Amino acid sequence: MSAGDKFTKDTTAQEVAETFGDRIKGRYVVVTGTSPGGLGYETARAIATQGPKLLVLAARDQAKLDAAKADILKETPSANIATVILDLDSQAQVRKAAADIAALGDPDVLINNAAIMMNPYGKTSDGLESQFGTNYVGPWLLTALLLPSILKTPSPRVVVVSSAGHRSSDIRWDDLGFSEGKEYEKRAAYGQSKTGNILHALALSEKYGDKGLVAVSLHPGVIMTNLSRHLTQEDFSAFSAFWNEDGSPKPGLFKSIPQGAATTVTAAFDPRWEKHNGVYLVDSQIAPDLPTTGGEDLLVGGMGYILPYAKDKKAALRLWDLTNKITGENF
Ligand SMILES: NC(=O)c1ccc[n+]([C@@H]2O[C@H](COP(=O)([O-])OP(=O)(O)OC[C@H]3O[C@@H](n4cnc5c(N)ncnc54)[C@H](OP(=O)(O)O)[C@@H]3O)[C@@H](O)[C@H]2O)c1
């Protein structure tokens, strides 16, 4: 029996961080998307309590970074925290952020948490559909550029925060950009980007597992955060299983922010994944496959499962090669 086997949907990030305190102490950890009120902030806050050597908060807004750092220091004055501007919308800026992060040392653990959800159609600075570019390509590039540093550390690990939303779409191999927006479906675009996140961790485990890298993806649960900022009245009606018409959450389905960040901390520090490299977690455990029978309601009932297209190793490597082309890299 491993310590993490007992974690459930109710476990908090703090409980997980305390369980793995000896694996956090003395290590350099990077968390992206750490704005107060979100899961990245709570992930960083819990990690800070366990004495990492350095904790880097990486996000696009310096005022929010400063606020997050100040809040964490209020609780843990001894924490060694640095902030780095990271804008996943721009590959040039991601390159600068990666250089800034590496200049501070070799990160032991990179937690790719930042994302946007179901925004109106738009393009990144590099001309990619914005959810694919921000949620998948940006974190892929950041990870790739940091890998040489990460791989120098004794137990290198990369976490990619995905979502049960991956069930909304496989990778649209022939039309990543929704025909320049003409066929844009914001939910499918989020799903495509989140499938990309799961395949990213799988590809990392396949390509770098023999160099000691452990890579894990996860669904944090459903949690009220600023992620829902782009949802409209129409969306709240369409997702009536989750929200009342006024946008307030229905009881039972939602986790608190401390519960929501728990699976991320488990992904980052639990030793179990050394024997299960590349897995996708839900509620701090390996997610089961979607049952092929039983008429699962994919919207609510399907949330705890992984879809077959997100477990496809060939697809993971194909997406890796495609992302090399998109970014002009050769990892
Ligand atoms: N909440 C849920 O129910 C839920 C469910 C499934 C999966 N997730 C996943 O959990 C992760 C965290 O989400 P959350 O709920 O904590 O959302 P959130 O509160 O909106 O936090 C998202 C973070 O990402 C940052 N971000 C957005 N665009 C960025 C960009 N271009 N460059 C750099 N940073 C950027 C945001 O910065 P700003 O504050 O500046 O916008 C914020 O810090 C995401 O990967 C999300 O897909 C969440």
Side-chain angles (χ1 to χ4, degrees):
M1 178 96 175
S2 178
D5 291 340
K6 68 176 190 307
F7 296 153
T8 68
K9 66 179 179 32
D10 299 321
T11 303
T12 64
Q14 189 63 37
E15 286 164 352
V16 178
E18 286 171 12
T19 302
F20 300 123
D22 59 334
R23 295 172 61 88
I24 295 175
K25 197 170 175 49
R27 301 180 80 205
Y28 173 6
V29 182
V30 180
V31 186
T32 72
T34 51
S35 306
L39 302 178
Y41 169 80
E42 177 60 13
T43 300
R45 186 208 61 73
I47 291 169
T49 64
Q50 302 303 308
K53 174 172 68 184
L54 173 62
L55 177 61
V56 163
L57 314 178
R60 60 183 166 177
D61 182 324
Q62 190 62 52
K64 289 185 190 176
L65 282 169
D66 291 343
K69 179 176 171 179
D71 276 1
I72 294 173
L73 285 174
K74 235 181 264 165
E75 182 189 0
T76 310
S78 60
N80 183 24
I81 302 176
T83 62
V84 167
I85 287 286
L86 164 72
D87 189 348
L88 294 164
D89 180 89
S90 154
Q91 290 172 30
Q93 208 291 319
V94 170
R95 289 174 198 284
K96 160 105 179 56
D100 290 346
I101 290 167
L104 297 170
D106 298 326
D108 296 271
V109 181
L110 168 63
I111 301 177
N112 288 299
N113 162 81
I116 49 176
M117 180 178 79
M118 290 176 60
N119 50 293
Y121 180 73
K123 285 183 175 180
T124 66
S125 316
D126 305 289
L128 299 168
E129 183 282 310
S130 59
Q131 296 191 73
F132 188 70
T134 304
N135 298 355
Y136 167 70
V137 177
W140 184 95
L141 182 60
L142 180 71
T143 305
L145 294 169
L146 285 173
L147 268 182
S149 305
I150 293 172
L151 288 172
K152 283 186 204 154
T153 67
S155 320
R157 194 170 290 202
V158 173
V159 173
V160 193
V161 179
S162 177
S163 171
H166 80 274
R167 68 204 186 288
S168 300
S169 180
D170 190 358
I171 301 298
R172 295 164 51 98
W173 299 101
D174 299 323
D175 188 16
L176 293 172
F178 292 81
S179 300
E180 292 285 306
K182 287 192 281 297
E183 302 194 1
Y184 185 62
E185 290 171 42
K186 59 188 180 177
R187 190 170 156 217
Y190 183 65
Q192 167 171 255
S193 72
K194 292 286 143 180
T195 295
N197 290 153
I198 301 176
L199 294 177
H200 182 199
L202 188 56
L204 283 167
S205 71
E206 288 288 301
K207 293 187 76 82
Y208 296 94
D210 63 356
K211 297 193 168 56
L213 184 72
V214 173
V216 180
S217 63
L218 67 117
H219 166 58
V222 184
I223 307 102
M224 285 300 280
T225 64
N226 289 322
L227 196 67
S228 56
R229 74 187 84 176
H230 295 293
L231 297 188
T232 61
Q233 193 58 47
E234 212 175 277
D235 297 323
F236 287 126
S237 306
F239 296 129
S240 59
F242 294 96
W243 282 288
N244 298 308
E245 291 273 324
D246 65 357
S248 60
K250 288 206 167 153
L253 282 171
F254 283 77
K255 287 183 180 180
S256 67
I257 288 176
Q259 291 166 343
T263 305
T264 306
V265 184
T266 308
F269 299 104
D270 194 319
R272 285 179 294 169
W273 320 133
E274 284 159 14
K275 292 204 177 70
H276 301 279
N277 206 354
V279 285
Y280 167 76
L281 310 178
V282 176
D283 295 337
S284 294
Q285 310 299 338
I286 297 173
D289 293 345
L290 184 75
T292 47
T293 55
E296 278 293 335
D297 156 23
L298 265 189
L299 185 61
V300 177
M303 283 204 301
Y305 300 101
I306 183 166
L307 267 76
Y309 54 68
K311 289 188 78 170
D312 182 339
K313 285 182 185 167
K314 266 196 201 147
L317 297 175
R318 180 181 176 193
L319 185 61
W320 183 277
D321 291 343
L322 183 60
T323 321
N324 263 323
K325 289 196 185 94
I326 290 171
T327 56
E329 290 293 346
N330 189 23
F331 284 99

